[in-house]
Amino acid sequence: MIPEKIDRYEIKQEIGRGGMATVFEAYDPRFERTVAVKMLPREFMHEAEFRARFTREARTIATLEHPAIVPVYDFGEENGQPYLVMRLMTGGSLSDRLADGPISIDETAVILKRLGSALDRAHKQGIIHRDLKPANVLFDDYGDAFLADFGIVHDTSSTNALTASGSLVGTPTYMSPEQVYGDKQLDGRSDIYALGVILF
């Protein structure tokens, strides 16, 4: 069932659903703009690991502040359910575009340049995305590419691991060999591998 409101945000429609979150298009009356609200499903409300991942995603995006990373506007809880408010990306995903056929070399170069810059910023801050794939590359009204979904990032500077050693997180098709094998010493090269798979 789609809620009518989440905090002050007036829900218009569901626009996405994954294993760990549901995303809604919503209206923010305070700033009079349309936004995306990402919410942790009720079945994970009492799961400490999922709540921690959700909180970490919000803080990670806010810390990175890069023009090619979908920005976060707000973070909070509604009846115990954490939610994350982000810029609404209306241009679809790279997955959508590829479904219509190959894109040009020139457009590919522009997209890779933006994503590479975003990854460089993240890696310099010790953040590994771990789930790069076409569905997590979104576009705005102007056709600019943005990196999205930092739900399973790995912080190389943190000693508080949210993923058990040897467990598999990410999308296997785009994962580097070391990520598949559950290597705890992942670094930015794993994301670069995934970016190469997307390019291929």
Side-chain angles (χ1 to χ4, degrees):
M1 182 177 179
I2 298 178
E4 292 185 3
K5 292 183 70 176
I6 297 175
D7 200 342
R8 72 172 187 265
Y9 304 99
E10 301 166 4
I11 303 304
K12 292 185 174 183
Q13 61 179 330
E14 181 180 316
I15 56 175
R17 181 181 291 267
M20 294 185 291
T22 303
V23 183
F24 302 98
E25 178 183 343
Y27 177 71
D28 180 357
R30 179 177 297 172
F31 292 105
E32 299 183 342
R33 64 183 175 186
T34 303
V35 297
V37 179
K38 184 175 184 178
M39 196 166 208
L40 186 70
R42 287 188 177 277
E43 56 264 33
F44 296 137
M45 280 176 57
H46 304 295
E47 296 285 343
E49 179 180 337
F50 288 103
R51 292 179 68 90
R53 283 183 178 178
F54 209 81
T55 300
R56 182 177 62 181
E57 178 177 9
R59 291 174 176 168
T60 296
I61 299 172
T63 299
L64 290 176
E65 289 189 9
H66 188 276
I69 293 175
V70 179
V72 59
Y73 295 151
D74 194 10
F75 178 71
E77 286 193 11
E78 175 77 357
N79 297 323
Q81 278 182 274
Y83 67 84
L84 175 63
V85 182
M86 302 170 291
R87 179 178 174 185
L88 180 67
M89 307 302 290
T90 57
S93 69
L94 181 57
S95 182
D96 297 330
R97 292 197 178 190
L98 291 174
D100 295 329
I103 59 178
S104 70
I105 293 177
D106 288 343
E107 185 178 3
T108 299
V110 171
I111 293 171
L112 286 178
K113 183 177 180 179
R114 283 183 61 84
L115 297 182
S117 177
L119 288 175
D120 183 58
R121 170 67 65 84
H123 295 164
K124 284 180 177 177
Q125 294 187 215
I127 302 297
I128 314 302
H129 188 282
R130 295 201 299 179
D131 198 20
L132 278 177
K133 57 185 177 182
N136 286 339
V137 178
L138 305 180
F139 295 90
D140 65 7
D141 288 339
Y142 304 101
D144 291 329
F146 288 75
L147 187 57
D149 199 344
F150 283 74
I152 60 169
V153 296
H154 173 62
D155 186 347
T156 60
S157 65
S158 175
T159 57
N160 183 23
L162 293 180
T163 304
S165 176
S167 62
L168 190 67
V169 292
T171 304
T173 306
Y174 298 93
M175 289 166 61
S176 65
E178 60 269 29
Q179 188 174 348
V180 171
Y181 287 115
D183 190 341
K184 293 189 296 182
Q185 304 301 320
L186 281 182
D187 59 29
R189 290 173 293 183
S190 185
D191 283 343
I192 299 302
Y193 178 95
L195 191 61
V197 176
I198 293 174
L199 174 62
F200 178 77

